[in-house]
Amino acid sequence: MPKLHPGTAIAVAFLVGCSASYVAPRFLVPPVHAGTDPPRWEIRCVDSETARVPDNHILEVTKATGWNPVLKRFGQEGWEPVQFMRNELTAKIDAVCFKRPL
């Protein structure tokens, strides 16, 4: 295996560091400043059995049956859907997670 010239190794390390400094801020949580309150959320997940969504309507979100009444009810209570959990094999919506400000 050929050896890297020290200058090449330094150049590669420099380029990796530069690219990491460009990408890293996108994954960091912004700091909370003194005197401000970070947003706090109440989280709730509801499965299809608890929500009483019948199996023959479990794929429906846009019709008056299925998950739509559940989404409307939670929305009227101030909940915002943040995640739909689907079964990988059947594509059925097994559960929905909601959040709302405290």
Side-chain angles (χ1 to χ4, degrees), residues 50-72:
T50 304
R52 295 189 178 112
V53 178
D55 280 343
N56 57 337
H57 296 292
I58 209 158
L59 288 171
E60 300 172 2
V61 176
T62 59
K63 298 181 182 176
T65 58
W67 280 98
N68 199 27
V70 177
L71 295 171
K72 283 185 178 180

Side-chain angles (χ1 to χ4, degrees), residues 1-84:
M1 183 173 194
K3 286 186 173 182
L4 281 178
H5 186 272
T8 305
I10 291 172
V12 169
F14 177 76
L15 291 174
V16 169
C18 289
S19 61
S21 68
Y22 174 74
V23 174
R26 297 175 189 212
F27 299 107
L28 297 176
V29 176
V32 176
H33 300 288
T36 62
D37 290 328
R40 296 185 55 179
W41 302 97
E42 181 178 5
I43 305 292
R44 183 170 182 194
C45 294
V46 181
D47 64 356
S48 57
E49 186 177 318
T50 304
R52 295 189 178 112
V53 178
D55 280 343
N56 57 337
H57 296 292
I58 209 158
L59 288 171
E60 300 172 2
V61 176
T62 59
K63 298 181 182 176
T65 58
W67 280 98
N68 199 27
V70 177
L71 295 171
K72 283 185 178 180
R73 185 178 76 237
F74 275 84
Q76 290 170 345
E77 296 173 9
W79 293 94
E80 174 185 345
V82 292
Q83 184 175 16
F84 290 82

